Amino acid sequence: MTTLRFALAAACITTVSLGAVAVSRADKERASPHADVSATVGGKKVTISYGRPYKKGRNIWGGLVPWDQVWRTGADEATTLTTDGDITLGTLRVPKGSYALFTIPSQKKSWQLVVNKNAKQWGAFKYDAKEDLGKTELKVGSGAEPVEQLTIAIEPNGPKKATLKLAWDDLLASVPIAP
């Protein structure tokens, strides 16, 4: 009986250990690594968590990322913005909390940054505009040189302002952040 209990305990420990290794390995083997970027803007910590896909020779704008459709602004889970205090993104007032960030790129109209109240989403597959906190315009221009891997940055502009920048392929999109 003791041997049977020992064998069952050993089997359970092995199963749990192998499960942990599989989860750890799966996270490390993502095609698009994940990153967090943070900055303090007017005393409020702002963090963006996102998947960083590679270009890999693909046509990004108007190809992999279609024009005039909601895009998850990264890979895998929806990109999230978390702020520990109220901020303003462009013209949009964003209260303290966590949100999903989406982008609507356009070839003919202005680009939109969408702040959605449902922070826990997989991509944009179940995106619901009824959950939007709101939208703000992104300024878009050509980057100095092509960027292979999607890069999001929060660049401080003095103690009370910053710029959220999104760079990928040949484009750079940005929006100011203020307290």
Side-chain angles (χ1 to χ4, degrees):
M1 192 65 161
T2 303
T3 306
L4 181 60
R5 285 185 190 156
F6 179 75
L8 286 172
C12 287
I13 290 170
T14 301
T15 301
V16 170
S17 297
L18 290 175
V21 168
V23 169
S24 175
R25 188 174 296 143
D27 193 45
K28 289 180 182 175
E29 293 177 2
R30 287 182 187 244
S32 300
H34 285 228
D36 294 331
V37 295
S38 296
T40 301
V41 181
K44 285 124 179 142
K45 183 176 180 185
V46 178
T47 302
I48 296 177
S49 301
Y50 69 110
R52 299 189 65 207
Y54 290 90
K55 180 173 167 50
K56 295 182 185 175
R58 299 177 288 189
N59 179 23
I60 302 301
W61 308 114
L64 179 66
V65 179
W67 296 121
D68 302 306
Q69 293 182 29
V70 172
W71 172 51
R72 71 179 96 191
T73 315
D76 304 325
E77 299 89 347
T79 294
T80 58
L81 173 135
T82 302
T83 176
D84 67 6
D86 298 354
I87 60 169
T88 301
L89 276 174
T91 58
L92 180 64
R93 192 83 185 130
V94 180
K96 172 183 176 178
S98 291
Y99 304 90
L101 289 183
F102 297 102
T103 306
I104 303 174
S106 182
Q107 195 171 25
K108 298 177 183 174
K109 301 182 282 184
S110 65
W111 283 35
Q112 298 292 308
L113 179 67
V114 180
V115 179
N116 187 275
K117 294 180 267 185
N118 182 1
K120 301 288 183 187
Q121 302 183 53
W122 181 262
F125 300 106
K126 293 188 178 182
Y127 166 77
D128 183 354
K130 293 178 205 158
E131 293 287 323
D132 287 351
L133 177 69
K135 298 176 183 173
T136 190
E137 189 173 325
L138 287 163
K139 179 182 173 186
V140 179
S142 296
E145 51 187 71
V147 176
E148 174 64 24
Q149 187 178 21
L150 173 67
T151 302
I152 297 177
I154 303 171
E155 295 183 0
N157 296 336
K160 292 192 176 195
K161 294 183 180 179
T163 303
L164 170 61
K165 292 185 175 183
L166 183 154
W168 199 20
D169 194 14
D170 58 349
L171 295 179
L172 174 66
S174 64
V175 65
I177 306 173

